[in-house]
Amino acid sequence: MKQTLLDVEQLQIAYGTRVVVPRVSFSLAPGEILCIAGQSGSGKSTLLKALMGTDPALGVQGRILWEGQDLTQMKPRQRQRLLGTSIALVPQDPAASFNPVRSYGAQIRELLISHGRYCRKTFYEEIGELFSKLALEDWQRILKSRPYELSGGMNQRVALAAAMLLKPRLLLADEPTSALDTTLQKQMAQELLRLRELFGVSQIVVTHNLALAGFLADKTGIMHNGQLIECNETQTLLHTPIHEPTRRLIASVPSLGSGKPEPPSSRPLLVCSGLCKAFSRQTHKVEALQDVTFTINGRETLGIVGESGSGKSTLVRVVAGLVTPDQGSVQLEGKVLGKRRNPSQLQAIQMVFQDPRASFDPRMTMGASIQETMRCLLGHGNLEEVEQLTQLVGLDPSLCRRYPFQLSGGQCQRFAIARALSVKPALLLCDEITSALDVSAQANILDLLNQLQETLHMSILFVSHDLAVVSQLCHRVLVLHHGSLVESGPCGQVISGPRDAYTKELLSSVLELPR
């Protein structure tokens, strides 16, 4: 009989009287990596919370056996002693889980003290050894830094290192790659594999990225409506799925394609010439954009790709008029756009932000927010028009009466698109609008953008770190690196025959499902 480290038997999870996870059973062997995948709202993160036992709002029935001991029957203090020392969690947003105004060194020291593991004489030696093993060579600077002073990928790696300080035997990771660019996603997956190689730690990784599961996991489970509908060896599950929701999830995963053929119109709509933008930091200057020049034609979708910090979001904000360039110009249909734009220019270029929920007023219903935009730029706007827009983006008009917090991420994203379309723009700017969505919601948004472009004949500037997504949606692609434009051309040409070494590196980092 195969030895197990963790056995979950008929686990039921509820918030009050509402059961959100009816019955879940699975087991985990020492050194094994299990990925739990599924759509948003399927119960993945709730399952991790139940395993940790730190949320008093959760009602749990069934058994969670840790080396034969039932965690659900342990006293709170007894179970608390297991957390960190035997079971550790890496949250979805590691920067938010740390104190933003204290250095990492102070917080890691506090972690060790709370578990009785702190030794002043060996503290730096222990930290240096572990961080070096995890390729965090500049660990002295990291210990002096605060979370907001490091990138998302670096915060994620520090969270992994902090979790491993107490040498746990089980690591729970909640969406560890969801907000990372393509290169960092692969690096994070390799870090998780290295943890198993160095420490033999078992892992349960919650993700909506099945390509990550294919690269990382020994076993993969699929959750749907709170149920673990199937759990099998990863390669078996990906090649011979049993249930229809699993097949739909696999079919939604984007792969590198050849892009769309050139649109029928070649008339330039937007021309950006010699754009430069620098931001001053306390000790140095960051060149966010360096002499970037490009054109967007009518009815064209142009993709912009690159790692975090490459200048993608700065570029789209310059086009939107939210950031003023230090040098260069932005021309719309032959007219230079100044620092202050008139209503017709604001109407012509509309933006959909990366975090759609945060872009809405939380005190206004979705319908009222869209009406306000229409009144400001068009001088009119009624509920009937808003409901028609809502139907256009594939939503039930009754959702117009809800507030942002009452909607899912995918629904908020569709409302954000509806708000941008409400003023009939010639150019739609999309800044990482699919990065935090599960693959099903992502596929729906991409299909929606394709349909809207066909119907409304608008142009789209689509910013993403995901080359596979860009290759499904865009006609042409620009590659940014450290603020410079290093390569551009039709999607198929750039993907099949990249010229720049950086583009080749990006393409080699794309995690794809084995087909």
Side-chain angles (χ1 to χ4, degrees), residues 6 26 28 34 36 48 51 170-173 202-206:
L6 181 76
F26 64 88
L28 187 73
L34 167 67
I36 304 289
L48 283 196
L51 295 179
L170 173 61
L171 183 68
L172 307 177
S202 301
Q203 299 171 37
I204 298 178
V205 180
V206 161

